[in-house]
Amino acid sequence: MKNKFTTLAIISVFFLGNTIFKAQDSKEILELKGKLASAKNDKEKHQKILLIIDEYGKQGKLDSMLVYNNEAILNAKKMNDKEEMGRLNLFLSQIYLQKADIVNYEKHVNEAENLLSDSKNYNNIGFLNFSIAGLNAIKKNHAKATTYYKKNIQLFEEGKKIDRKYIMLGYQGLFASNIIQSNFTDGYIASNKYIDFVKKYEPDQLPTAFMLLGSFYSSAKDYSKAINAYTNSIAHSKNEQFSYLNKAFLGLCYSEIKQLDSAKLYTNQAFEYFKNGNNAIALGSIYYSYATIYKQENKLELAEEYMKKALAIAPEKDIANSKLSYQSKLNEIILEQLSQNYNGNETERKAKLESLLQNLKEISEKIRKTDTFLSQELEITNYENLSKVYEILGNYEQALVYHKKYIEKKEKTYGLDKMKEFSKAQSNYELNEQKALIKLQEETKRIQLQKEIELKALRFEFEKKQAAAKTAEERERLLLEEDAKRKEIELTYTYQRKAAEQKYIQERKFAKTVQEKKDAIAKAELENSKTQKNMWAIGAGLSILLLGFAGYSYNQKRKDNKKIAEEKQKSDDLLLNILPYEVAEELKEKGKTSAKHFDEVSVLFTDFVNFTANSERIGVQEVLNELNICFTEFDRIMDKYGLEKIKTIGDAYLAVSGLPVSNDLHAKNAVNAGLEILSYIQQRKKDNPNALDIRIGIHSGPVIAGIVGVKKFAYDIWGDTVNTAARMEQNSSSGRVNISEATYQLIKDDFTFEHRGRIETKGKGAMDMYFVNQL
């Protein structure tokens, strides 16, 4: 099968977004229209119109969205709000895009560009850049599209205040654009950047990211990796419709590698889910998958039947040109039937071949006239089919003409040199990634081994001191002293491990930058003449020679300065023991750091229940050992969810999410960390009868963070947010995570809760509190 549906999937998901998954009709429309009718002023009226547009958007009612979007533009004009008029024109352009009305799409993008020409709102600028890029991608102006996708990424790198969704769409656009052009090498590089960004900043978008990655590998005919990507998309998705669409794509992949049992399994599952729905894109892909499977089984009548079903539900006009793709697939199946032993008479067969030839010519003409992008596989297949039909009809001259076109287009898209280049880029990336990972693992093992040696030496030293101790008081003092030193060692090596991981991340970024420069040089070489290529080669040779000499000098110098480097490393490691990496780097670079204000963080407090009473019941040493074990696990959990540990105060543990690097998911990460701590403590109580109960409190808000003191300085946080988080912990219950109203508002769609009502707190008065339910 020629996988024309891959491009159709990419276009649908990327350009149409989640609108392909329609929600159920909302009951709020009439209520919103009633509120609109009673609006007291233009500003209130505007807010109500936007809510109506949003509600119609959830229902996928594009015509209703158009009506109210135009009304919103008129209202914004009445308020003399040029910025809002520009933004609404961009929304209007997206509606026309979904209706495949490219003329009006372009008109409103251009209108928005005029209105936002002097805008200082980076979100509107980001939306505009994305829309201009999309318009140029559709019109096959790929160079200009790439420029505008990169503009959003540049704004992010410059630290401009822009919604990260526009950055993600910039990366996604670069990736999708390369897939559509069958630029496999550039697409592979772009895919890694896109996935890395989504994992770090927009993890909720991983299902879409992995779906597009699966489409990329499908288009490159690497079906095992495509299957892996689609499976990952399902694993990360919370949207049933999205998951079942992935299953339809899995069915296509398995049919390609002739694992037809698996192909049928996934296609059947997808069909059962979508068969009674109104999702034409999903159902069309399922019929396409069935046709592919039956064609593999040589059940051509069934294959034809399913492609006709797909054609019947395909829209007459859409941005993905799905009707054209379906018709091409049907032609392929009919040609296969006419090429085999035909049951009818020869006259009838010839008439059907003539009809098929006419259809193939019409598709060729549509491809020629289409000024928006199409699947390159569609053109390849059409040339191949034309060649075969002419050959069967005995017109060998025309058969040769189209066979040459077929070979040329296929070579351009999937040529050996192109696929070798893609394979090489993929291998180099994966090899370098593996090397860096092994290096990190070895460094982590070395740090762990060194920590264990120091802990054993400490134990040996204090066993000797305990043996020499003459009183119970002296032995207890020694136990506390040993525990404090053990914690100090643990902390030291925790920061060393963090530093190693940070170094690994930085080296990956550096390697990517180097590779980008190499790729740029390679492209320049391909575009230059042979003479220029030779000059570049000479230059490259001289560069290698100079780099070799520089490498030799560097090695000599490194040997000479080994002791200095070791001392510097010790100093750096010591600094990382007490400060976050970013703060330590600032201190090293500038010689000082200043306190910083963070608008939005989430502070987490934990405290063990009845700690003092437990110390008296089971003994100080046993309780301190338990505390050390638990805090060590808490440190691991903080690392997992990106929280910064601030300090321990006796049996209390303080950490914060969202600094020193801001993170939009700070509240969600803090709650996930708190829930994992509860799970750990519950398991610990099953394993150890002396395990401690815990309560946890979380509050979100602004804090000040910085270094305290000059001697034995420490990184700390201040502000009312910290005090409120402490009140959340004090008013929590054993085995529960208690959060404030502020935190609840940030995560109310991500978890389930138990509203506790308003509870009196010391110094804060009555406050709304919520228990977060464990998953």
Side-chain angles (χ1 to χ4, degrees):
M1 182 197 77
K2 308 301 188 291
N3 199 352
K4 295 177 286 295
F5 197 80
T6 297
T7 303
L8 175 61
I10 294 161
I11 296 165
S12 300
V13 175
F14 177 59
F15 287 99
L16 306 186
N18 289 330
T19 57
I20 66 173
F21 307 116
K22 296 177 182 178
Q24 297 298 315
D25 284 352
S26 170
K27 296 177 182 178
E28 296 178 355
I29 290 287
L30 291 175
E31 184 183 339
L32 286 169
K33 286 182 178 179
K35 290 180 179 179
L36 174 62
S38 60
K40 297 175 183 177
N41 51 54
D42 289 334
K43 187 175 181 180
E44 187 180 340
K45 181 180 178 183
H46 200 73
Q47 290 172 344
K48 298 297 180 288
I49 295 172
L50 294 180
L51 288 172
I52 291 171
I53 294 169
D54 183 58
E55 193 62 31
Y56 275 130
K58 291 175 184 176
Q59 298 177 27
K61 295 183 177 178
L62 300 182
D63 290 332
S64 298
M65 289 177 74
L66 277 176
V67 170
Y68 281 92
N69 207 108
N70 281 315
E71 187 173 340
I73 290 173
L74 291 173
N75 198 60
K77 189 174 183 179
K78 191 176 177 183
M79 295 189 294
N80 198 28
D81 192 337
K82 186 179 173 184
E83 192 85 22
E84 180 67 356
M85 286 171 66
R87 189 178 75 91
L88 288 166
N89 267 280
L90 290 175
F91 276 119
L92 201 55
S93 74
Q94 297 303 308
I95 298 169
Y96 280 117
L97 175 61
Q98 290 170 51
K99 291 172 70 68
D101 186 342
I102 305 303
V103 173
N104 275 308
Y105 172 47
E106 184 173 11
K107 172 189 169 184
H108 288 285
V109 170
N110 292 336
E111 182 69 19
E113 190 174 13
N114 291 330
L115 288 164
L116 298 173
S117 58
D118 55 355
S119 174
K120 296 296 184 290
N121 184 317
Y122 288 108
N123 283 335
N124 288 345
I125 293 169
F127 193 3
L128 177 63
N129 287 339
F130 172 69
S131 301
I132 294 172
L135 175 64
N136 282 282
I138 288 168
K139 299 188 79 174
K140 296 188 278 193
N141 298 326
H142 296 297
K144 192 171 181 181
T146 297
T147 299
Y148 276 90
Y149 285 134
K150 286 183 175 178
K151 281 187 177 185
N152 280 359
I153 297 168
Q154 188 178 349
L155 288 172
F156 174 69
E157 290 172 347
E158 289 172 358
K160 298 294 191 290
K161 196 171 182 181
I162 178 171
D163 193 320
R164 283 181 182 150
K165 71 182 177 187
Y166 296 116
I167 317 305
M168 184 196 68
L169 288 169
Y171 279 114
Q172 193 183 74
L174 289 173
F175 175 31
S177 180
N178 280 304
I179 302 174
I180 291 162
Q181 297 175 75
S182 297
N183 289 339
F184 301 119
T185 301
D186 291 346
Y188 180 75
I189 293 165
S191 73
N192 283 290
K193 290 182 178 179
Y194 169 46
I195 296 291
D196 285 348
F197 181 87
V198 173
K199 282 181 178 177
K200 186 172 182 180
Y201 296 111
E202 298 287 340
D204 288 347
Q205 294 299 317
L206 276 171
T208 301
F210 281 120
M211 177 184 272
L212 285 173
L213 189 63
S215 299
F216 166 67
Y217 281 122
S218 289
S219 66
K221 303 186 185 299
D222 190 340
Y223 295 107
S224 61
K225 288 189 176 176
I227 288 167
N228 185 55
Y230 288 134
T231 304
N232 271 328
S233 181
I234 293 169
H236 286 84
S237 178
K238 294 178 182 177
N239 184 312
E240 271 194 343
Q241 294 188 63
F242 202 88
S243 296
Y244 279 97
L245 187 61
N246 272 291
K247 289 186 177 185
F249 295 159
L250 280 170
L252 282 166
C253 288
Y254 278 113
S255 69
E256 278 291 337
I257 57 178
K258 295 184 170 58
Q259 292 185 18
L260 299 185
D261 287 341
S262 295
K264 288 177 183 177
L265 173 69
Y266 284 108
T267 307
N268 287 339
Q269 287 178 2
F271 178 69
E272 284 302 314
Y273 184 84
F274 286 111
K275 65 182 180 182
N276 297 320
N278 59 354
N279 193 324
I281 289 175
L283 206 52
S285 75
I286 292 163
Y287 291 148
Y288 192 103
S289 185
Y290 276 130
T292 303
I293 292 166
Y294 289 128
K295 185 172 181 286
Q296 291 275 22
E297 294 181 332
N298 204 33
K299 297 176 181 177
L300 298 176
E301 289 183 4
L302 274 172
E304 181 182 358
E305 178 187 333
Y306 275 97
M307 277 322 302
K308 285 180 177 177
K309 285 183 178 182
L311 267 170
I313 63 169
E316 281 302 317
K317 185 180 180 185
D318 65 351
I319 191 63
N321 287 295
S322 51
K323 204 171 187 73
L324 207 56
S325 292
Y326 293 159
Q327 183 62 57
S328 178
K329 182 67 179 176
L330 179 60
N331 289 343
E332 211 180 305
I333 294 164
I334 292 170
L335 178 57
E336 188 71 20
Q337 288 174 321
L338 296 171
S339 300
Q340 295 180 10
N341 295 326
Y342 186 67
N343 294 327
N345 61 51
E346 189 57 32
T347 304
E348 185 182 23
R349 179 172 180 256
K350 187 175 180 180
K352 287 190 174 182
L353 282 166
E354 292 286 357
S355 175
L356 177 60
L357 181 63
Q358 185 59 36
N359 191 286
L360 291 168
K361 286 180 178 178
E362 287 173 5
I363 290 178
S364 283
E365 187 62 16
K366 286 177 182 177
I367 291 171
R368 188 183 67 78
K369 287 183 176 179
T370 300
D371 58 357
T372 59
F373 57 64
L374 286 168
S375 165
Q376 299 199 45
E377 192 65 70
L378 180 66
E379 199 170 349
I380 292 168
T381 304
N382 209 56
Y383 285 146
E384 184 183 20
N385 290 339
L386 278 163
S387 176
K388 286 180 178 179
V389 171
Y390 275 119
E391 184 182 354
I392 296 169
L393 289 170
N395 190 340
Y396 300 112
E397 187 178 343
Q398 282 296 93
L400 182 60
V401 168
Y402 282 104
H403 184 70
K404 284 181 178 178
K405 288 184 177 183
Y406 159 68
I407 293 296
E408 285 171 6
K409 187 66 180 177
K410 188 176 180 181
E411 179 64 24
K412 187 178 178 182
T413 307
Y414 301 110
L416 184 61
D417 289 341
K418 192 170 186 177
M419 298 312 287
K420 277 184 178 178
E421 183 188 355
F422 166 53
S423 181
K424 184 179 177 182
Q426 195 173 2
S427 298
N428 286 342
Y429 179 87
E430 289 174 358
L431 180 62
N432 291 333
E433 191 79 359
Q434 195 62 29
K435 282 180 179 177
L437 192 58
I438 290 169
K439 188 177 176 183
L440 173 64
Q441 289 169 347
E442 288 175 349
E443 180 66 9
T444 304
K445 284 178 184 176
R446 184 194 65 76
I447 291 168
Q448 180 65 23
L449 183 61
Q450 196 168 338
K451 180 184 78 171
E452 288 172 3
I453 290 169
E454 285 201 33
L455 287 172
K456 284 179 182 177
L458 177 71
R459 179 83 281 248
F460 180 72
E461 178 188 347
F462 273 87
E463 280 176 353
K464 288 196 299 183
K465 288 182 179 179
Q466 284 280 1
K470 296 178 180 178
T471 65
E473 289 79 6
E474 189 178 353
R475 282 192 289 274
E476 188 171 340
R477 180 185 61 77
L478 285 168
L479 285 171
L480 292 169
E481 186 180 337
E482 180 190 4
D483 185 62
K485 288 195 175 181
R486 183 184 292 107
K487 286 180 180 176
E488 186 180 345
I489 291 169
E490 293 277 2
L491 191 62
T492 297
Y493 287 103
T494 296
Y495 278 111
Q496 280 191 22
R497 190 179 71 251
K498 278 188 179 179
E501 289 169 355
Q502 190 65 34
K503 186 179 178 183
Y504 163 69
I505 292 166
Q506 288 175 333
E507 285 177 353
R508 280 184 66 204
K509 287 181 180 177
F510 177 72
K512 283 184 181 179
T513 304
V514 171
Q515 188 60 47
E516 285 171 5
K517 289 179 180 177
K518 287 180 181 177
D519 293 340
I521 292 170
K523 283 184 180 178
E525 287 177 350
L526 288 172
E527 291 167 1
N528 288 335
S529 65
K530 287 183 179 180
T531 305
Q532 288 171 317
K533 284 181 181 178
N534 290 335
M535 291 176 68
W536 275 108
I538 293 166
L542 288 171
S543 298
I544 291 167
L545 185 64
L546 289 169
L547 284 169
F549 178 74
Y552 172 78
S553 301
Y554 171 73
N555 286 332
Q556 287 297 109
K557 186 176 180 181
R558 186 174 63 176
K559 289 176 184 177
D560 294 340
N561 294 335
K562 187 176 179 181
K563 287 187 179 180
I564 296 172
E566 286 174 354
E567 291 303 316
K568 183 178 181 298
Q569 185 62 47
K570 287 179 183 177
S571 174
D572 289 347
D573 290 345
L574 183 62
L575 199 59
L576 287 169
N577 284 342
I578 52 179
L579 298 176
Y581 177 82
E582 292 79 1
V583 178
E585 286 298 301
E586 183 184 359
L587 190 63
K588 286 194 289 182
E589 184 181 339
K590 300 179 181 178
K592 61 180 182 178
T593 66
S594 54
K596 290 184 175 63
H597 180 271
F598 293 87
D599 290 326
E600 273 294 329
V601 301
S602 291
V603 177
L604 177 147
F605 263 106
T606 78
D607 195 29
F608 286 105
V609 179
N610 298 326
F611 181 76
T612 306
N614 278 305
S615 300
E616 294 171 356
R617 180 175 60 83
I618 62 174
V620 174
Q621 183 60 47
E622 183 66 30
V623 171
L624 288 176
N625 286 342
E626 184 64 22
L627 199 62
N628 182 54
I629 290 167
C630 290
F631 281 172
T632 301
E633 179 63 16
F634 292 4
D635 290 344
R636 184 197 67 77
I637 293 169
M638 296 307 111
D639 285 345
K640 177 179 177 180
Y641 291 102
L643 276 72
E644 187 69 40
K645 177 183 176 181
I646 301 300
K647 59 187 173 183
T648 56
I649 312 158
D651 63 319
Y653 189 102
L654 170 63
V656 61
S657 177
L659 65 74
V661 178
S662 297
N663 184 345
D664 292 342
L665 298 175
H666 59 87
K668 186 176 180 180
N669 289 342
V671 170
N672 277 326
L675 292 173
E676 189 157 332
I677 286 173
L678 288 187
S679 296
Y680 170 74
I681 292 297
Q682 286 166 1
Q683 184 59 46
R684 184 73 187 157
K685 287 171 71 179
K686 292 177 184 177
D687 299 338
N688 182 2
N690 292 327
L692 306 167
D693 284 317
I694 198 168
R695 58 176 179 256
I696 301 173
I698 299 172
H699 174 62
S700 304
V703 297
I704 303 292
I707 293 174
V708 182
V710 178
K711 294 181 71 177
K712 295 184 179 179
F713 55 81
Y715 187 75
D716 209 345
I717 56 174
W718 306 273
D720 186 60
T721 298
V722 183
N723 297 332
T724 305
R727 297 294 178 269
M728 292 301 111
E729 176 270 307
Q730 290 159 9
N731 287 279
S732 187
S733 297
S734 176
R736 301 305 297 265
V737 175
N738 186 41
I739 66 169
S740 65
E741 176 69 26
T743 304
Y744 169 76
Q745 289 299 329
L746 295 172
I747 59 167
K748 59 185 178 182
D749 297 327
D750 299 316
F751 303 90
T752 59
F753 306 88
E754 181 184 323
H755 186 209
R756 306 177 63 196
R758 294 179 67 79
I759 296 174
E760 284 294 330
T761 60
K762 183 179 176 183
K764 305 291 295 182
M767 299 185 72
D768 274 302
M769 298 185 195
Y770 301 79
F771 281 143
V772 185
N773 294 325
Q774 285 183 274
L775 301 175

